[in-house]
Amino acid sequence: MDASMKRTSSYSEPEGTAQLPRGRHGLSRQFVLDNQRERIVRAMVDTAAERGYAETAVADVIKRAGVSRKTFYENFKSKEACFLAAYDTVSGRLSTAAIQAYKSADDWTQGIRAALRACVEALVDDPAGARVAFVEILAAGPHALERYEASVRRFIPMIELGRSQAVHGPELPPRLAEEVIGGVSQAMYLKILEGDIAALEQSVDELLYFTLVPFIGHERARAIAFADCD
């Protein structure tokens, strides 16, 4: 895939999360509260990606966010609760970007390509978010694993539509879509774990082939996934 392709999604820091000026600023209380929460969440993403979830302390997060410990605990009851909120933010942006891209395509195969590209672009644009979404979430305990599994399941209906493209769709394994998603997630996890996130941009064609081939077979999957390479 062309590394210079136009960006269609981003995990970059949301607008409005910069630290507010001290003193009288004329901003509404709700705006201030929302801003503080967003800064805490972003600080958790960046700190957990940098230090690892286990080594991240509330003190690290509040220092990075520029808020008091009191403000932190007004928003989150624990480090775990804050981390899960951070994961929800990152994974929510990822799934929204993928689903919107999928819906913009003309057919299933091109929709899967668009969804994968949107995911990869989002991950490359925010390496810290990528680390949280695919690596640190797996090290944050059973509640985090449940949250991760739930986010992965969001994509099952999208992949499951490939059954209608298959010649013998009803005969395919019942959990095929889930297994395909697991494989794609594992491939992304390994790149991110190795610190080679940028290489994901070069992997979209391979990920597309891997996703398509169980449903439409080698020849069609290869022709669609590697069309620009021939």
Side-chain angles (χ1 to χ4, degrees):
M1 183 176 62
D2 185 356
S4 64
M5 62 187 177
K6 182 180 178 181
R7 297 285 184 218
T8 58
S9 61
S10 175
Y11 276 173
S12 59
E13 185 173 345
E15 293 182 8
T17 57
Q19 190 166 348
L20 298 176
R22 294 180 181 276
R24 302 174 70 88
H25 44 57
L27 300 171
S28 71
R29 175 167 173 75
Q30 190 59 53
F31 181 90
V32 173
L33 294 174
D34 290 345
N35 176 273
Q36 289 175 334
R37 183 181 177 87
E38 289 168 0
R39 278 161 39 208
I40 293 169
V41 166
R42 187 65 223 183
M44 174 59 80
V45 170
D46 292 337
T47 306
E50 181 181 290
R51 299 174 64 89
Y53 174 76
E55 297 301 319
T56 293
V58 170
D60 301 320
V61 175
I62 62 177
K63 180 178 180 180
R64 195 167 207 146
V67 301
S68 67
R69 184 172 291 269
K70 178 175 179 290
T71 297
F72 179 91
Y73 284 108
E74 286 173 346
N75 283 275
F76 303 103
K77 65 180 183 180
S78 64
K79 181 183 90 168
E80 180 189 43
C82 181
F83 179 80
L84 292 178
Y87 173 76
D88 287 345
T89 298
V90 172
S91 64
R93 291 177 188 159
L94 178 63
S95 61
T96 296
I99 291 169
Q100 288 179 345
Y102 174 80
K103 290 180 177 178
S104 70
D106 294 330
D107 61 35
W108 180 72
T109 60
Q110 293 309 310
I112 297 300
R113 183 195 297 276
L116 286 169
R117 181 175 292 139
C119 284
V120 167
E121 289 176 357
L123 294 170
V124 171
D125 283 349
D126 184 10
R131 181 90 185 179
V132 164
F134 282 86
V135 179
E136 296 309 319
I137 190 66
L138 302 179
H143 293 134
L145 287 176
E146 289 174 4
R147 200 68 63 93
Y148 173 77
E149 291 168 2
S151 70
V152 169
R153 286 196 293 272
R154 295 175 193 165
F155 296 97
I156 290 178
M158 181 191 303
I159 304 299
E160 181 63 23
L161 288 173
R163 195 176 295 273
S164 66
Q165 308 290 315
V167 175
H168 302 291
E171 300 173 18
L172 294 175
R175 298 183 62 182
L176 180 58
E178 185 176 344
E179 292 165 0
V180 168
I181 293 170
V184 171
S185 297
Q186 178 70 4
M188 291 182 173
Y189 162 83
L190 290 173
K191 291 291 186 184
I192 294 166
L193 183 66
E194 294 165 1
D196 198 15
I197 299 176
L200 282 172
E201 285 194 306
Q202 308 304 319
S203 303
V204 171
D205 294 341
E206 288 82 359
L207 293 174
L208 178 61
Y209 172 82
F210 178 85
T211 304
L212 299 184
V213 73
F215 297 98
I216 63 176
H218 165 70
E219 292 299 331
R220 284 186 63 201
R222 183 183 182 282
I224 292 168
F226 304 109
D228 296 336
C229 301
D230 294 335

